[in-house]
Amino acid sequence: MARPDKAAAVAELADQFRSSNAAVLTEYRGLTVAQLKTLRRSLGEDAQYAVVKNTLTKIAANEAGISTLDDLFNGPTAVAFITGDPVTSAKGLRDFAKDNPNLVIKGGVLDGKALSADEIKKLADLESREVLLSKLAGAMKGKQSQAASLFQALPSKFVRTAEALRVKLEEQGGAE
């Protein structure tokens, strides 16, 4: 391959590293083309899974400011460039690796921070962003309901206390 082709490939990979929220490196040795196609579908629309050349990808990652992945570029390597929710794609990788032990998650990077294979599996165990946001909204709504109940209780408690005091004063006034 000529040098301009390699330079263009490095530039394209560097752009993918820069534009991605996360990137996960995997070893795909032993997977068929059909299995790789299934894996690409399982990652979702916000991820691109590409078989890459280690040397060119290592250079591209360094150009993109990511040097923490250098040790992972050995053996047949493919990268999942994730532009959407990293949790969804991590779940797709984890689930596919359970069914296909030939897929090995090597590690990755999330928002510039290096992740080990175990950390990616922990990321996959998280609930999706939408679920976490809905739980937060539910908790906030619950707190608002509690506050509204408290604010309604104060005036009614005051009225009951004032009425009890009035009855007590009437009884004391009638007893004399």
Side-chain angles (χ1 to χ4, degrees), residues 39 42-44 86-97 103 124:
L39 172 60
S42 71
L43 293 178
V87 174
T88 304
S89 297
K91 284 181 185 196
L93 283 168
R94 178 201 58 195
D95 294 344
F96 186 85
L103 180 74

Side-chain angles (χ1 to χ4, degrees), residues 50-73:
V51 174
V52 295
K53 292 188 178 230
N54 288 335
T55 308
L56 298 180
T57 309
K58 187 176 181 179
I59 293 168
N62 286 328
E63 281 185 14
I66 302 169
S67 59
T68 55
L69 301 176
D70 288 353
D71 297 338
L72 302 177
F73 291 111

Side-chain angles (χ1 to χ4, degrees), residues 38-49 81 88-89 92:
T38 303
L39 172 60
R40 285 185 174 100
R41 276 194 225 118
S42 71
L43 293 178
E45 297 176 9
D46 295 330
Q48 180 184 356
Y49 189 75
F81 294 103
T88 304
S89 297

